Amino acid sequence: MVSHTSASDAPKTLFDKVWDDHVVATREDGAALLWIDRHFVHEGSHHAFRKIAERGAKVAHPELTFGVADHYVPTRTRDLSAVDHAVADMVARLSDNCAANGVRLFGLDDPRQGIVHVVGPEQGLTLPGLSMVCGDSHTSTHGAFGALAFGIGASEVAHVLLTQTLWQRQPKRLKIRVDGAMAPGATAKDLALTIIARIGADGAHGHAIEFAGSTVEALSMEGRLTLCNLSIESGGRCGMIAPDDTTFAYLAGRPFAPAGEALERAMSYWRTLPSDPDAAFDREIVLDGGEVVPIVTWGISPEDALPVTETVPDPNRIADPARAAHAREAVGYMGLVPGQKLTDVAVDRVFIGSCTNSRIEDLRAAAAILAGRKARVPGLVSPGSSQIKRQAEEEGLAEIFTAAGLDWVESGCSMCVGMNGDLVAAGERCASTTNRNFKGRQGKGARTHLMSPAMVAAAAVTGHLADVRTLLRETV
Amino acid sequence: MRPFTRLTALACPLPFMGVDTDQLIPARFMSRPRSEGYGDFLLYDRRRDDAGDLDPAFPINDPDRAGAEILVAQRNFGGGSSREAAVYALVDAGFRTVIAPTFGDIFANNAVNNGLLPARVPEADGEAILAAIAGGLREITVDLETQEITAGEIRTSFEIDPISRKKLLNGWDDLDLTQSYADDIAGFAKADAARRPFAHLVNIPRSD
Ligand code: SF4
């Protein structure tokens, strides 16, 4: 097994250690050919499968390739004959492509089905030190385990299918260090949105992010997954967290994770992965955990985020003309009034789901607020995987959601992107646990406010954006 | 792929910040095969009004800018989803380069893989070019050899990483190149399976 602790090694970052262990060859222009350990494909990968079929080729390493049906799957029924045929076709095409190439598929009726970035960790496919790719930008999620994981486009998906490798240039290294306890009611989602608001939606452009510090170390695996998931929303190439005992405890016993002696051996390698104490980063950002409070987005980019106690920004008071124009466009699209208190903004519906916030801990947090209360607006709860769905039903969470008046549905990407038909109507305002408040993301003309699961639950029971802390006080 | 060396062409402004890939092509069009052409889907919802008619005030609908091959936008162009369809829509609509201060990383990779040049300019120069276009400037020259843009009176250099530059200049496709590394890849896989067995799933039965 390779070791990174030999005295002759120059100090290295977590990113460098994982990167170096995957370099097959280096070109004179500096591009590296990286070996890929895990490749996930989904319905949207059809362009890439078509490309390889045109070459008369097959998937080179089907044992390292995993199909997951998530982006287009219906959530109100599992009967494909009952849904729009364009949607059904996409799900069927994935099954066909996987079958033709001998690729294992977590399909519509598989008990392991779910959103790709939830299923990977859950099945033990996501492990420290792996290189992982998927034709989906939120592949950064898997970095929570100390894996090098990033999203790729269709041409690159085809390249990985054919060669199990990818040409990459090295990004720069950015360390984001957060220390101290977060404010009451604040979660990993609030931390992530605080970071994005601080550095901008392109603030980590060209960088591999490492999240470190006591605030990050204190996060559960679920919280870490949320944080790394959102690293793409600050433009980062990937986000990583050093593997530790929290990581090892989570992955032990998972179906595709090593066990017994193989686990021992893997762990002795994984323990060498954290950044060396004096490893150099190109940039470093330090944040005080105490500054992280419950936060919501008000605009059309995840960087348009403010503490929920604030007011809607006034574009006329923003000096930079391009930024003022952006704020004007955002406030207009969102149908807000500058100066309006965020907690006065009424919502039309809520959505709890997506690869960002649909894990069991997220559902528990939302249910804690909803328990014994009624939602004033309609809403959808789509668990991150079919396995989480069963667990939530066993724990009684599903009952809390339905008793509150929300719809409890099957697992999939659902209203995060609306490809399966779960859409927010034009002009409607949705409090959402998802990751993108882009114009039209949840449906044409839809207005999305991003926040944590507990904050979405708070919006549901009050009918407007709300500070979860007021409801927490009522609970105790 | 068609190499990109030097282009003098009509430019179209897109003076918005954060034109993400969900805007470049809404998700609902991505199930179509590429052979049908993606050009009509470009900025589909942005360029239409509520009734679904083309909004004459939206820059790329301006008949005076029809046939433009150069798009000039603001910060964080192509952020968001990894959908390569966003690049297909631009390419199929006739664009060969986008000039902006910053690009989404995955978008920029996808662009280069389809022969579309993402040219990064300082924000002030980008604004100056947009102002010049608003003032009537039509043609811009983008030279990838020298990494220079000439837009009327404005001359500025642009950034692109050297690997992408070389690929674009030569019209290279990664796949052709990678085939010549087949032995290195096989050798790596074999040695690595012994070094990191957990990564290779060697003991997981296929029949689960
Ligand atoms: S849940 Fe949303 S962000 Fe996550 S993979 Fe699905 S569509 Fe992408």
Side-chain angles (χ1 to χ4, degrees):
Chain A
M1 199 72 61
V2 275
S3 168
H4 295 289
T5 46
S6 80
S8 62
D9 278 358
K12 280 181 171 185
T13 66
L14 163 65
F15 168 83
D16 288 296
K17 293 179 189 186
V18 180
W19 173 282
D20 289 352
D21 277 350
H22 291 88
V23 176
V24 173
T26 309
R27 238 161 45 196
E28 85 187 45
D29 62 7
L33 187 63
L34 295 184
W35 173 260
I36 301 301
D37 293 318
R38 300 283 183 276
H39 184 196
F40 295 113
V41 293
H42 55 81
E43 300 95 310
S45 310
H46 67 100
H47 288 292
F49 277 109
R50 190 184 304 260
K51 278 178 205 270
I52 71 164
E54 277 166 9
R55 289 184 170 240
K58 290 254 191 255
V59 174
H61 283 273
E63 80 285 5
L64 301 178
T65 312
F66 294 83
V68 184
D70 58 2
H71 280 71
Y72 285 82
V73 298
T75 51
R76 305 225 180 231
T77 168
R78 285 310 207 200
D79 179 5
L80 282 185
S81 67
V83 301
D84 180 81
H85 77 95
V87 167
D89 277 358
M90 287 296 280
V91 179
R93 209 182 302 173
L94 173 69
S95 305
D96 295 347
N97 283 327
C98 286
N101 286 279
V103 168
R104 188 189 267 104
L105 171 68
F106 304 137
L108 194 57
D109 298 317
D110 193 300
R112 300 166 297 181
Q113 178 274 343
I115 305 170
V116 57
H117 310 310
V118 177
V119 169
E122 194 169 80
Q123 292 302 320
L125 286 164
T126 306
L127 298 170
L130 295 184
S131 61
M132 308 179 64
V133 297
C134 172
D136 185 282
S137 57
H138 291 95
T139 308
S140 60
T141 312
H142 308 266
F145 285 73
L148 169 60
F150 52 90
I152 55 178
S155 297
E156 293 171 313
V157 170
H159 191 278
V160 179
L161 289 176
L162 286 170
T163 67
Q164 203 60 31
T165 63
L166 202 56
W167 289 102
Q168 289 286 298
R169 60 182 173 280
Q170 275 217 1
K172 292 185 180 143
R173 289 77 161 157
L174 165 64
K175 183 175 184 173
I176 300 182
R177 187 179 176 89
V178 197
D179 284 302
M182 294 188 283
T187 65
K189 180 67 160 286
D190 302 287
L191 172 57
L193 288 174
T194 302
I195 292 170
I196 299 162
R198 171 80 56 92
I199 69 175
D202 57 356
H205 172 254
H207 289 74
I209 307 173
E210 179 174 342
F211 297 101
S214 64
T215 315
V216 176
E217 285 160 24
L219 293 174
S220 64
M221 268 338 278
E222 281 87 348
R224 295 178 188 188
L225 287 159
T226 300
L227 181 59
C228 288
N229 173 275
L230 289 166
S231 41
I232 183 68
E233 305 309 332
S234 59
R237 187 75 185 119
C238 62
M240 297 173 89
I241 295 172
D244 61 10
D245 289 338
T246 303
T247 322
F248 305 145
Y250 178 96
L251 60 85
R254 307 238 165 218
F256 291 88
E261 202 206 324
L263 178 61
E264 293 296 315
R265 227 184 125 193
M267 265 175 42
S268 64
Y269 165 65
W270 294 337
R271 288 194 195 283
T272 69
L273 292 176
S275 293
D276 298 327
D278 36 7
F281 289 81
D282 297 281
R283 263 171 80 198
E284 216 166 314
I285 293 169
V286 179
L287 223 83
D288 175 5
E291 288 172 37
V292 182
V293 299
I295 191 169
V296 294
T297 63
W298 53 269
I300 52 172
S301 160
E303 73 179 22
D304 303 334
L306 280 170
V308 65
T309 47
E310 293 284 328
T311 56
V312 175
D314 183 349
N316 293 330
R317 301 176 74 164
I318 300 174
D320 179 90
R323 278 162 185 77
H326 169 80
R328 202 162 285 123
E329 185 189 348
V331 167
Y333 179 83
M334 295 298 289
L336 298 171
V337 182
Q340 180 181 16
K341 281 176 71 175
L342 286 169
T343 49
D344 285 345
V345 175
V347 301
D348 300 303
R349 65 175 57 248
V350 300
F351 176 62
I352 298 172
S354 88
C355 58
T356 307
N357 277 128
S358 62
R359 298 177 181 83
I360 193 70
E361 203 175 85
D362 300 317
L363 301 183
R364 286 182 193 139
I369 300 296
L370 286 161
R373 294 186 169 118
K374 289 273 179 228
R376 290 179 185 232
V377 293
L380 200 60
V381 186
S382 177
S385 71
S386 300
Q387 192 166 306
I388 292 170
K389 179 165 189 273
R390 287 189 298 278
Q391 188 180 352
E393 284 164 0
E394 280 160 23
E395 289 186 16
L397 307 179
E399 238 168 84
I400 293 174
F401 293 126
T402 47
L406 301 180
D407 293 345
W408 174 249
V409 300
E410 300 287 340
S411 175
C413 292
S414 185
M415 207 174 269
C416 173
V417 71
M419 287 178 182
N420 73 339
D422 291 343
L423 290 163
V424 175
E428 264 193 8
R429 188 181 303 286
C430 181
S432 182
T433 66
T434 53
N435 41 62
R436 290 192 171 133
N437 50 343
F438 294 168
K439 280 183 172 180
R441 169 75 176 189
Q442 292 189 295
K444 190 178 180 209
R447 293 163 170 163
T448 305
H449 294 271
L450 306 175
M451 64 200 80
S452 75
M455 288 281 284
V456 167
V461 300
T462 59
H464 52 79
L465 302 183
D467 188 340
V468 68
R469 286 167 289 191
T470 60
L471 295 164
L472 286 172
R473 275 196 289 277
E474 286 169 30
T475 322
V476 287
Chain B
M1 226 162 42
R2 181 175 169 197
F4 189 113
T5 47
R6 189 171 191 273
L7 173 72
T8 299
L10 181 63
C12 179
L14 192 65
F16 303 106
M17 196 182 276
V19 177
D20 54 68
T21 52
D22 277 84
Q23 293 179 47
L24 286 170
I25 183 167
R28 62 185 185 277
F29 299 119
M30 286 160 32
S31 57
R32 316 272 181 98
R34 172 75 188 278
S35 50
E36 288 179 12
Y38 270 54
D40 287 346
F41 307 141
L42 178 66
L43 291 157
Y44 193 93
D45 291 337
R46 288 290 320 255
R47 61 197 292 192
R48 284 169 177 75
D49 59 21
D50 291 340
D53 299 321
L54 285 177
D55 170 6
F58 195 74
I60 62 168
N61 293 338
D62 183 352
D64 205 37
R65 298 282 164 179
E69 293 175 72
I70 299 172
L71 192 64
V72 186
Q74 289 176 329
R75 186 170 78 85
N76 201 21
F77 186 87
S81 151
S82 62
R83 58 186 73 166
E84 195 160 305
V87 173
Y88 301 160
L90 283 160
V91 169
D92 292 357
F95 289 102
R96 299 202 55 214
T97 178
V98 181
I99 299 170
T102 52
F103 292 90
D105 264 343
I106 306 175
F107 172 86
N109 283 346
N110 292 342
V112 170
N113 283 330
N114 289 277
L116 178 76
L117 165 66
R120 247 176 15 247
V121 292
E123 199 158 6
D125 290 341
E127 289 305 308
I129 295 172
L130 282 171
I133 294 174
L137 176 74
R138 294 184 58 76
E139 289 201 331
I140 290 181
T141 298
V142 179
D143 191 331
L144 184 54
E145 300 271 9
T146 60
Q147 284 183 231
E148 272 184 337
I149 293 172
T150 312
E153 306 284 284
I154 306 160
R155 267 185 95 96
T156 176
S157 54
F158 65 89
E159 278 185 63
I160 176 143
D161 86 88
I163 296 166
S164 297
R165 176 171 174 271
K166 200 159 146 192
K167 270 171 73 170
L168 284 165
L169 282 173
N170 295 292
W172 275 347
D173 182 333
D174 276 345
L175 262 174
D176 300 328
L177 184 71
T178 311
Q179 310 291 1
S180 65
Y181 285 85
D183 291 346
D184 300 77
I185 296 170
F188 178 94
K190 190 152 181 275
D192 192 54
R195 208 164 46 208
R196 300 182 310 129
F198 69 90
H200 293 260
L201 294 173
V202 276
N203 296 319
I204 307 284
R206 267 310 267 122
S207 58
D208 68 306

